[in-house]
Amino acid sequence: MFEDVFYQVGIVLAVAAAGGALALALRQPLIVAFIAVGILLGPTGTGWVTAADELDLFARLGIAVLLFVVGLKLDLHIIRTMGTVALATGLGQVLFTSVVGYLLALAMGITPVAALYVAIALTFSSTIIIVKLLSDKREVDSLHGRIAIGFLIVQDIVVVLVMIGLAAMGQADDVTSLGREALLVLAKGALMLAVLGLLMRFVLGDLLHRLARSQELLVLFAIAWAVLWASVGERLGFSKEVGAFLAGISIASTPYRELIGARLVSLRDFLLLFFFVDLGAGLDLDALGANLLPAAMLSLFVLVGNPLIVMVIMGAMGYRKRTGFLAGLTVAQISEFSLILAALGLSIGHIDEDTVGLITLVGLVTISISTYMILYSHRLYDRLSPWLGIFERRVAYREEDGEEHDGGYDVVLVGLGRFGAGIGRALRGRACRLLAVDFDPELVRRHAQEGYATHYGDAEDPEFINTLPLEQVRWVVSTIRQREINRALLQTLRQRGYQGKVALSGETGEEAEVLRGFGADMVLIPYADAAREAADRLMAADPAACDLHPDGPDQK
């Protein structure tokens, strides 16, 4: 109907905007809406959009930018601290899902080779979708967010190795050839890391310093760097996700990562729209109908089994049940890699179109349902927490390290972002005994090094609030500006019997009235309060400055 690519892209954007607005009005996830737009406009729907190559290009650019931004947030210290749990949960979940999934597939009457492909496809979760959801919820920097991203990257590396191995099996004539392919992969990976490490050590710091004279040029370089290394990763037989992620890590230790990350967020969201539309457009609905019952059973296994094994591993390692639950929900779907794996198996001749249709249907079901599970993860936890105690040690020592407090605090400050850190400095300057709380382990570590009494935790977690030493606290101050989190914090404090005062933060005067209605003793509005303080300081420095016009402003 529309042959011009420009028109087709315009149609995609217009329908996606309308679908997104409808989803927003119905309080549905935008990701599901965009996948539905792809189905509507693709070959199985209206067929209006046929520019698959162009949409795929935009989608691939979006993937590169997304993983680059994620890499920006993970400096080498965080990788070292998260490495053990990421490796344990990533490999443990892969092993559990592949073994049980294979047995389930055999029990359904699927042939052994096809069952192997199905089992592997069930194993891997979508880094792209999960990171997007965590970013939207502002949980990428939380402990469970960092752990989830860590084991997802482990999964990505494993799936790349599996795909290379399967491709080699399809091409290799003997075991010797297969071993040669494996050694070649290891050599390429070592070379890639070595080159990137040398560039980080001797080139990137000075280069970024020079480019930073122009913010536009700095951002352009960042995009080019992300796409370049995504291309290198794919060219070497890994994936564009791994390459772009490593590119982000290479800049994460520089002072420019915050600026670059902030400037790329809008571009990331725009380009990822095409990924989800392209994903929906690529679904062959005609091949899905015959696999409804097997797909339902395998989807249930992924939605329940994958989170459970993550919770078991994290609980055994000493993490709280809440951290394990929130991290576990991120693996309750299969990945776009699973669809690529199915296509690879079809091209090699290992599986048929029915198996591809089964994997595709499981992907559609699990991606859609898990999106809701992740978006409403905190509500799910509130309902299920009484039954999750078996996944937690008596002492969750991984989240208690370095948190020995003897009480006697005047103020508990929740949130160590810019606004919170500023309040913390001011209160400490007035000799207040302060306990600082945040769910970003890196901020907690940094402020602990500066001499703060710190505590890691999430203000929305009632069990965490109950661990705080509130007996002598006069003020609990929240610098978080999400209304529901503040409401949950206030309710938990009141239920515990806290007798002190509570200050919450909002964005506007209207928000302040809502928070006062919840029962807040004081409401802080960061930008407005800072403006008033600046005006007060100006008047304190020159009290007569505004006495020149006694009849009022602009009077002549």
Side-chain angles (χ1 to χ4, degrees), residues 17 21 29 51 53 55 68 99 111 169 192 199 206 209 256 266-267 275 285 300 303 318 333 339 356 367 418 458 529:
D53 292 341
L55 292 182
F68 176 76
V99 172
T111 63
M169 286 173 61
M192 184 178 177
L199 290 173
D206 185 61
H209 181 69
Y256 308 106
S266 298
L267 176 64
F275 168 78
L285 299 184
L300 183 62
L303 291 167
Q333 86 287 116
L339 307 182
V356 175
I367 288 172
R418 290 184 180 179
D458 191 335
D529 289 342

Short mmCIF file of all heavy atoms in Angstrom, two decimals, residues 17 21 29 51 53 55 68 99 111 169 192 199 206 209 256 266-267 275 285 300 303 318 333 339 356 367 418 458 529:
data_model
loop_
_atom_site.label_atom_id
_atom_site.label_comp_id
_atom_site.label_asym_id
_atom_site.label_seq_id
_atom_site.Cartn_x
_atom_site.Cartn_y
_atom_site.Cartn_z
N ALA A 17 2.52 5.95 18.27
CA ALA A 17 2.13 7.02 19.18
C ALA A 17 0.68 6.84 19.65
O ALA A 17 0.36 6.98 20.83
CB ALA A 17 2.31 8.37 18.51
N ALA A 21 -0.45 5.89 23.40
CA ALA A 21 -1.39 6.73 24.15
C ALA A 21 -2.55 5.90 24.69
O ALA A 21 -2.99 6.08 25.83
CB ALA A 21 -1.92 7.85 23.24
N PRO A 29 1.54 -1.74 29.66
CA PRO A 29 2.94 -1.48 29.33
C PRO A 29 3.09 -1.05 27.87
O PRO A 29 2.46 -1.60 26.96
CB PRO A 29 3.62 -2.85 29.56
CG PRO A 29 2.67 -3.62 30.41
CD PRO A 29 1.31 -3.14 30.08
N ALA A 51 9.09 -2.45 4.85
CA ALA A 51 10.50 -2.05 4.88
C ALA A 51 11.20 -2.72 6.06
O ALA A 51 11.66 -2.06 7.00
CB ALA A 51 10.62 -0.53 4.98
N ASP A 53 14.05 -4.32 6.31
CA ASP A 53 15.49 -4.05 6.47
C ASP A 53 15.72 -2.71 7.16
O ASP A 53 16.60 -2.58 8.02
CB ASP A 53 16.18 -4.06 5.10
CG ASP A 53 16.21 -5.45 4.49
OD1 ASP A 53 16.05 -6.43 5.25
OD2 ASP A 53 16.39 -5.55 3.26
N LEU A 55 13.60 -1.04 9.18
CA LEU A 55 13.19 -1.14 10.57
C LEU A 55 14.21 -1.92 11.39
O LEU A 55 14.51 -1.57 12.54
CB LEU A 55 11.82 -1.82 10.68
CG LEU A 55 10.62 -1.04 10.13
CD1 LEU A 55 9.34 -1.84 10.36
CD2 LEU A 55 10.50 0.33 10.78
N PHE A 68 24.96 0.09 25.44
CA PHE A 68 26.03 1.04 25.71
C PHE A 68 25.70 1.85 26.96
O PHE A 68 26.57 2.05 27.83
CB PHE A 68 26.21 1.96 24.50
CG PHE A 68 27.23 3.04 24.70
CD1 PHE A 68 28.59 2.76 24.65
CD2 PHE A 68 26.84 4.34 24.95
CE1 PHE A 68 29.53 3.75 24.83
CE2 PHE A 68 27.77 5.35 25.14
CZ PHE A 68 29.12 5.05 25.07
N VAL A 99 18.18 -28.29 31.49
CA VAL A 99 17.96 -29.70 31.83
C VAL A 99 16.48 -30.00 31.98
O VAL A 99 15.93 -30.93 31.36
CB VAL A 99 18.73 -30.08 33.11
CG1 VAL A 99 18.34 -31.48 33.57
CG2 VAL A 99 20.23 -30.00 32.88
N THR A 111 11.09 -34.58 19.38
CA THR A 111 12.29 -35.38 19.10
C THR A 111 13.48 -34.84 19.89
O THR A 111 13.52 -33.66 20.24
CB THR A 111 12.62 -35.34 17.60
OG1 THR A 111 12.92 -33.99 17.22
CG2 THR A 111 11.46 -35.85 16.77
N MET A 169 28.69 -27.18 14.64
CA MET A 169 28.23 -28.56 14.49
C MET A 169 27.60 -28.78 13.11
O MET A 169 27.72 -29.84 12.51
CB MET A 169 27.21 -28.91 15.58
CG MET A 169 27.82 -29.12 16.96
SD MET A 169 26.53 -29.34 18.20
CE MET A 169 25.72 -30.82 17.60
N MET A 192 39.76 -9.10 21.81
CA MET A 192 38.82 -7.97 21.93
C MET A 192 38.98 -7.26 23.28
O MET A 192 39.05 -6.03 23.35
CB MET A 192 37.39 -8.50 21.77
CG MET A 192 36.31 -7.45 21.76
SD MET A 192 34.68 -8.23 21.49
CE MET A 192 33.63 -6.79 21.62
N LEU A 199 43.03 0.61 25.03
CA LEU A 199 42.42 1.89 24.67
C LEU A 199 41.94 2.64 25.92
O LEU A 199 42.08 3.86 26.01
CB LEU A 199 41.25 1.66 23.71
CG LEU A 199 41.62 1.18 22.30
CD1 LEU A 199 40.38 0.82 21.51
CD2 LEU A 199 42.41 2.28 21.56
N ASP A 206 42.23 10.83 27.63
CA ASP A 206 42.68 12.08 27.02
C ASP A 206 41.79 12.47 25.84
O ASP A 206 41.47 13.65 25.66
CB ASP A 206 44.13 11.92 26.55
CG ASP A 206 44.70 13.22 25.99
OD1 ASP A 206 44.76 14.21 26.76
OD2 ASP A 206 45.07 13.25 24.80
N HIS A 209 38.54 13.94 27.08
CA HIS A 209 38.81 15.27 27.64
C HIS A 209 38.86 16.33 26.55
O HIS A 209 38.34 17.44 26.71
CB HIS A 209 40.11 15.25 28.44
CG HIS A 209 40.44 16.56 29.07
ND1 HIS A 209 39.71 17.08 30.12
CD2 HIS A 209 41.41 17.48 28.79
CE1 HIS A 209 40.23 18.25 30.46
NE2 HIS A 209 41.26 18.52 29.67
N TYR A 256 32.78 11.65 32.30
CA TYR A 256 31.80 12.10 31.31
C TYR A 256 30.63 11.14 31.16
O TYR A 256 29.75 11.37 30.32
CB TYR A 256 32.48 12.32 29.96
CG TYR A 256 33.69 13.20 30.04
CD1 TYR A 256 34.97 12.67 29.95
CD2 TYR A 256 33.57 14.57 30.27
CE1 TYR A 256 36.10 13.48 30.05
CE2 TYR A 256 34.67 15.38 30.38
CZ TYR A 256 35.94 14.83 30.27
OH TYR A 256 37.04 15.63 30.38
N SER A 266 16.91 9.74 25.43
CA SER A 266 15.82 9.96 24.47
C SER A 266 16.08 9.22 23.16
O SER A 266 15.15 8.63 22.58
CB SER A 266 15.64 11.46 24.21
OG SER A 266 15.28 12.13 25.39
N LEU A 267 17.31 9.25 22.69
CA LEU A 267 17.65 8.52 21.47
C LEU A 267 17.44 7.03 21.66
O LEU A 267 16.92 6.34 20.77
CB LEU A 267 19.10 8.81 21.07
CG LEU A 267 19.63 8.05 19.86
CD1 LEU A 267 18.87 8.47 18.61
CD2 LEU A 267 21.13 8.29 19.68
N PHE A 275 12.65 -1.63 17.60
CA PHE A 275 12.95 -3.02 17.95
C PHE A 275 11.68 -3.78 18.30
O PHE A 275 11.45 -4.90 17.82
CB PHE A 275 13.93 -3.07 19.13
CG PHE A 275 14.08 -4.44 19.72
CD1 PHE A 275 14.85 -5.41 19.10
CD2 PHE A 275 13.41 -4.78 20.89
CE1 PHE A 275 14.96 -6.68 19.63
CE2 PHE A 275 13.52 -6.05 21.44
CZ PHE A 275 14.31 -7.00 20.80
N LEU A 285 1.82 -15.54 12.86
CA LEU A 285 0.70 -16.01 13.66
C LEU A 285 0.07 -17.27 13.10
O LEU A 285 -0.52 -18.06 13.84
CB LEU A 285 -0.37 -14.90 13.75
CG LEU A 285 0.08 -13.58 14.41
CD1 LEU A 285 -1.08 -12.63 14.52
CD2 LEU A 285 0.70 -13.83 15.78
N LEU A 300 4.48 -21.56 31.17
CA LEU A 300 4.29 -21.61 32.62
C LEU A 300 5.59 -22.00 33.31
O LEU A 300 5.93 -21.45 34.37
CB LEU A 300 3.19 -22.63 32.95
CG LEU A 300 2.82 -22.75 34.43
CD1 LEU A 300 2.27 -21.43 34.96
CD2 LEU A 300 1.79 -23.86 34.64
N LEU A 303 7.81 -18.87 33.24
CA LEU A 303 7.30 -17.79 34.09
C LEU A 303 7.46 -18.11 35.58
O LEU A 303 7.61 -17.18 36.39
CB LEU A 303 5.81 -17.55 33.78
CG LEU A 303 5.51 -16.93 32.41
CD1 LEU A 303 4.02 -17.05 32.09
CD2 LEU A 303 5.95 -15.47 32.37
N GLY A 318 23.01 -15.69 50.47
CA GLY A 318 22.89 -14.74 51.57
C GLY A 318 22.19 -13.45 51.24
O GLY A 318 22.30 -12.47 51.99
N GLN A 333 10.99 -14.73 31.08
CA GLN A 333 10.64 -14.70 29.66
C GLN A 333 11.80 -15.21 28.84
O GLN A 333 12.90 -15.38 29.37
CB GLN A 333 10.23 -13.30 29.21
CG GLN A 333 11.37 -12.39 28.77
CD GLN A 333 12.20 -11.91 29.93
OE1 GLN A 333 13.35 -12.23 30.02
NE2 GLN A 333 11.61 -11.16 30.83
N LEU A 339 14.62 -16.69 19.39
CA LEU A 339 14.07 -16.69 18.04
C LEU A 339 15.18 -16.80 17.00
O LEU A 339 15.03 -17.49 15.98
CB LEU A 339 13.24 -15.43 17.81
CG LEU A 339 12.15 -15.14 18.86
CD1 LEU A 339 11.38 -13.87 18.48
CD2 LEU A 339 11.21 -16.32 19.00
N VAL A 356 9.96 -24.10 15.34
CA VAL A 356 10.16 -22.64 15.31
C VAL A 356 8.90 -21.92 15.78
O VAL A 356 8.95 -20.97 16.56
CB VAL A 356 10.55 -22.18 13.89
CG1 VAL A 356 10.62 -20.66 13.83
CG2 VAL A 356 11.86 -22.80 13.47
N ILE A 367 7.10 -12.94 27.03
CA ILE A 367 7.49 -11.53 26.98
C ILE A 367 6.33 -10.65 27.42
O ILE A 367 6.50 -9.71 28.21
CB ILE A 367 7.97 -11.15 25.56
CG1 ILE A 367 9.34 -11.76 25.27
CG2 ILE A 367 8.04 -9.63 25.40
CD1 ILE A 367 9.81 -11.60 23.84
N ARG A 418 21.49 13.77 44.11
CA ARG A 418 22.05 15.13 44.29
C ARG A 418 21.34 15.88 45.40
O ARG A 418 21.97 16.50 46.26
CB ARG A 418 21.93 15.90 42.98
CG ARG A 418 22.85 15.40 41.87
CD ARG A 418 22.72 16.29 40.65
NE ARG A 418 23.59 15.85 39.56
CZ ARG A 418 23.66 16.44 38.38
NH1 ARG A 418 22.90 17.48 38.13
NH2 ARG A 418 24.47 15.97 37.45
N ASP A 458 15.66 -0.48 50.26
CA ASP A 458 14.63 0.11 49.41
C ASP A 458 13.52 0.66 50.29
O ASP A 458 12.94 -0.06 51.10
CB ASP A 458 14.08 -0.96 48.46
CG ASP A 458 13.21 -0.37 47.36
OD1 ASP A 458 12.65 0.71 47.58
OD2 ASP A 458 13.10 -0.99 46.29
N ASP A 529 12.46 24.89 46.46
CA ASP A 529 13.15 25.17 47.72
C ASP A 529 14.53 25.77 47.48
O ASP A 529 14.96 26.69 48.18
CB ASP A 529 13.27 23.89 48.54
CG ASP A 529 11.92 23.43 49.09
OD1 ASP A 529 11.00 24.26 49.13
OD2 ASP A 529 11.82 22.26 49.48
#
